[in-house]
Amino acid sequence: MTKLYSAAGEVLAIKTLCSPKKNLAGKLLSELDEEHFHTDEAQEAYKAVLKYLRQHGEPPTFTLLCEDLAISDEARETLKLVVKTVKTVGQAEQLLVTLNTYRQTRMLYRLSKGILGYLEKPSVDLEALLQAVQEKVSKISQQKSMEETLFHV
């Protein structure tokens, strides 16, 4: 089966969101959303970063996030394992492409499972199914708009 996520990539993205380099953090903040994270630890950390950002107007430092008692021990330990760092906007863009590819793969996988489940029912409303599939495929194709960001570089 195709790989559906990169735990290392997700945690690297979290670390980059907390980067003191505002151009790197801003780049990821402007294009990531919850759908880019699959692991529980990364989802939890992403939500904590956004909460801190809303309260303080800037993301937390990575050290502060790793010690945040609002996230689970597992999430904190996972974050502490990150060794790599994103150093350039080009690397941030590569990370975004990777995470978006995994997001799209997961969404297509879930869509496929949903279609099969629907088709196994005793009766099928084909028009409703096609409409739902079109909406999902449209969402899978979309990327978060730069205008949705609250973080200004």
Side-chain angles (χ1 to χ4, degrees):
M1 186 167 124
T2 299
K3 189 175 172 186
L4 298 176
Y5 66 96
S6 167
E10 290 180 9
V11 177
L12 181 57
I14 298 297
K15 184 174 184 180
T16 306
L17 289 172
C18 299
S19 173
K21 296 180 179 179
K22 293 189 186 302
N23 62 332
L24 298 178
K27 176 73 175 163
L28 292 191
L29 277 168
S30 70
E31 297 190 35
L32 291 178
D33 60 31
E34 285 185 41
E35 291 178 347
H36 287 89
F37 300 99
H38 177 74
T39 63
D40 293 340
E41 295 83 6
Q43 288 179 354
E44 195 176 339
Y46 179 71
K47 289 175 186 174
V49 168
L50 292 182
K51 181 179 178 183
Y52 189 94
L53 180 64
R54 279 191 294 276
Q55 293 174 347
H56 301 279
E58 63 184 25
T61 65
F62 189 67
T63 303
L64 182 62
L65 182 64
C66 288
E67 299 303 324
D68 191 342
L69 294 176
I71 61 176
S72 68
D73 289 339
E74 294 83 12
R76 286 197 307 273
E77 292 306 314
T78 300
L79 291 173
K80 290 176 184 177
L81 296 175
V82 181
V83 177
K84 293 182 179 182
T85 57
V86 171
K87 297 178 181 167
T88 66
V89 172
Q91 290 175 341
E93 289 171 351
Q94 289 174 350
L95 180 58
L96 285 167
V97 168
T98 299
L99 292 177
N100 194 54
T101 299
Y102 281 118
R103 177 191 70 86
Q104 290 175 319
T105 303
R106 282 191 306 275
M107 292 177 82
L108 284 171
Y109 177 75
R110 291 180 194 129
L111 176 61
S112 299
K113 282 181 70 174
I115 291 170
L116 287 174
Y118 189 82
L119 291 174
E120 291 174 353
K121 291 181 177 183
S123 64
V124 174
D125 181 350
L126 193 55
E127 285 190 35
L129 176 61
L130 287 172
Q131 179 67 32
V133 168
Q134 288 172 346
E135 289 172 10
K136 286 286 188 186
V137 169
S138 176
K139 187 172 182 177
I140 291 168
S141 309
Q142 291 176 357
Q143 292 187 2
K144 186 177 174 189
S145 168
M146 294 282 282
E147 295 169 4
E148 292 179 33
T149 185
L150 299 175
F151 186 73
H152 301 285
V153 181

